[in-house]
Amino acid sequence: MTTRYLILEDGASYKGVGFGSEATTTGEVIINSNMLGYQEVITNQIYHNQIIVFTQPSIGNTGINHKSFESIVTNAKGVIAKEYSNISTNRLGNLSIDKFLKQNNIPGIAGIDTRELARHIRIKGSMKGSIVDIDDEHAYDQLNASVLTNQQVDQVSTKAPFPNPGDGYNIILIDFGLKYSILRQLSERHCNVTVMPWNTSSKEIMDLDPDGIVLSTGPGSPLNLPESVLEMIRTVQKNVPIFGMGLGHELFALANGAKIYQMDIEHHGSNHPIKQIITNKIIYASQSQGYAVDPKSISHDNLIVTYVDLINKTVQGIRHRDYPSFSIQFSPDGGPGPIDSVDLYDEFLENVSSQRR
């Protein structure tokens, strides 16, 4: 086993044992507190350019299987774990995590006290890190000199439209970093889905005669996307219902006059209680959140807050007053995590049905 190091830009160093690819890599170090679903997390496009620190004690013991991918192309920069297993106890697990990471050129480190590392990140704030063979001065110089791209959406979004056929409503899904659980939920409801690139114009969308629009999740800051995306949202929401989630939620808020701020500490996990304001119902949902809607910036002439996080009080859902469109910060389809709020897909399609009538 090869000794490898995770080094952070504040000078911290963590020694462990390498697995997966032997590549040297640099990315934003984030903490993921999911107890299950490491495959779904690693293949989620929202982790583009990020090194994922799993706080669950062990990963790898259910292998890698063909039913749990959230994307085919994996863009995570690295994986940090307390321990990993190459013995799969899952009948669907045909591939070990070590081999999977090697295939995708993703390095991993095991043997690190991930809870101590998580505390360090939460105290110091988000920062860059590198997985290296030697934690010498040169490695830190390379880390501090590296610049992470802010064009994540352009790098992960589809370059050309593609269909996910069905015999139901005609849904256009704008791909800002699509996770496949969204497609699975729409397919279960027999929707005829066309996935479009992130920079698709409102005219191109309306030419396809959509019944509804879904704005997908995605990586990075919504502030890095051009004004044309917000103009597209403002135009199409006047004609067809919109359902946004994650990055799509943040863009929907921006398009309707709200402001976005970067959180001091990103939250990635499935353990935050979220309250639906109108009913006081509490749900638990999967979150991958680095940015949030500023509640003070919301114009209540346009938007209504529908969900709020009970721990950090962030806005988790909004609805338009004049149009049958809404958005949520969390992931209603799990992948991994609870599916307490999967009925939001049904709510969206009820809006579609009412609009068609």
Side-chain angles (χ1 to χ4, degrees), residues 4 51 81 196 251 257 271 302 322 326 352 356:
R4 304 208 75 189
I51 296 173
M196 305 287 286
L251 292 168
N271 55 348
N302 294 331
D322 299 324
F326 66 94
V352 169
R356 292 298 287 182

Side-chain angles (χ1 to χ4, degrees), residues 27 59 69 83 93-94 108 127 137 151 157 179 185 272 297 304 308 340:
I59 65 172
F69 284 99
E83 63 179 41
N94 299 319
M127 66 183 81
E137 184 176 341
Q151 301 298 308
S157 176
K179 54 188 297 231
Q185 292 296 331
H272 268 213
S297 70
I304 304 169
V308 64
D340 295 12

Side-chain angles (χ1 to χ4, degrees), residues 35-81:
M35 292 303 294
L36 299 170
Y38 57 84
Q39 180 181 344
E40 292 94 327
V41 171
I42 295 170
T43 58
N44 190 339
Q45 296 284 26
I46 203 168
Y47 295 106
H48 179 272
N49 265 6
Q50 294 185 326
I51 296 173
I52 307 166
V53 179
F54 287 99
T55 58
Q56 61 173 294
S58 179
I59 65 172
N61 54 6
T62 56
I64 302 293
N65 73 81
H66 62 278
K67 291 187 175 182
S68 298
F69 284 99
E70 289 296 340
S71 69
I72 295 298
V73 178
T74 304
N75 288 295
K77 287 292 187 177
V79 171
I80 308 297

Side-chain angles (χ1 to χ4, degrees), residues 59-322:
I59 65 172
N61 54 6
T62 56
I64 302 293
N65 73 81
H66 62 278
K67 291 187 175 182
S68 298
F69 284 99
E70 289 296 340
S71 69
I72 295 298
V73 178
T74 304
N75 288 295
K77 287 292 187 177
V79 171
I80 308 297
K82 173 65 175 175
E83 63 179 41
Y84 79 99
S85 171
N86 265 336
I87 301 174
S88 171
T89 59
N90 186 334
R91 63 183 177 81
L92 297 175
N94 299 319
L95 185 67
S96 72
I97 189 169
D98 180 56
K99 186 173 291 186
F100 172 73
L101 294 181
K102 282 184 169 70
Q103 289 178 355
N104 289 276
N105 198 35
I106 299 173
I109 300 181
I112 287 178
D113 185 345
T114 52
R115 293 191 177 186
E116 193 282 326
L117 174 57
R119 283 195 297 270
H120 183 85
I121 295 294
R122 286 169 182 150
I123 292 170
K124 299 289 187 177
S126 298
M127 66 183 81
K128 291 184 298 182
S130 291
I131 294 176
V132 296
D133 294 323
I134 303 174
D135 61 340
D136 57 9
E137 184 176 341
H138 175 70
Y140 283 100
D141 289 342
Q142 291 287 98
L143 169 60
N144 292 323
S146 64
V147 178
L148 301 179
T149 180
N150 63 359
Q151 301 298 308
Q152 296 103 311
V153 170
D154 185 59
Q155 293 185 9
V156 302
S157 176
T158 182
K159 302 306 179 187
F162 66 89
N164 192 54
D167 56 9
Y169 291 115
N170 185 30
I171 304 299
I172 302 299
L173 199 167
I174 307 300
D175 178 11
F176 297 109
L178 174 66
K179 54 188 297 231
Y180 289 170
S181 288
I182 300 174
L183 284 178
R184 293 184 185 107
Q185 292 296 331
L186 293 172
S187 293
E188 286 181 11
R189 291 158 178 82
H190 309 290
C191 294
N192 181 54
V193 180
T194 303
V195 181
M196 305 287 286
W198 70 271
N199 53 0
T200 301
S201 69
S202 58
K203 182 182 185 304
E204 291 171 309
I205 293 171
M206 297 311 298
D207 284 348
L208 294 173
D209 189 27
D211 295 317
I213 312 292
V214 174
L215 308 175
S216 85
T217 57
S221 168
L223 303 176
N224 290 329
L225 295 179
E227 178 68 20
S228 58
V229 175
L230 306 184
E231 285 295 334
M232 177 273 289
I233 295 171
R234 294 186 193 111
T235 300
V236 300
Q237 72 181 4
K238 298 175 183 177
N239 299 284
V240 291
I242 288 178
F243 179 20
M245 56 193 82
L247 180 61
H249 158 79
E250 295 155 11
L251 292 168
F252 180 71
L254 283 171
N256 287 287
K259 295 181 179 179
I260 302 294
Y261 67 92
Q262 185 172 9
M263 299 168 66
D264 293 333
I265 301 296
E266 295 191 14
H267 180 256
H268 300 268
S270 304
N271 55 348
H272 268 213
I274 297 168
K275 182 175 78 171
Q276 184 180 31
I277 292 175
I278 194 171
T279 64
N280 281 329
K281 177 183 177 182
I282 308 300
I283 62 171
Y284 288 84
S286 180
Q287 288 180 326
S288 299
Q289 182 180 5
Y291 295 83
V293 177
D294 181 357
K296 297 178 181 178
S297 70
I298 294 175
S299 169
H300 296 286
D301 292 335
N302 294 331
L303 300 174
I304 304 169
V305 177
T306 54
Y307 290 89
V308 64
D309 191 304
L310 291 180
I311 293 180
N312 58 25
K313 308 304 180 184
T314 53
V315 174
Q316 292 292 311
I318 54 177
R319 177 180 295 277
H320 204 287
R321 283 188 180 273
D322 299 324

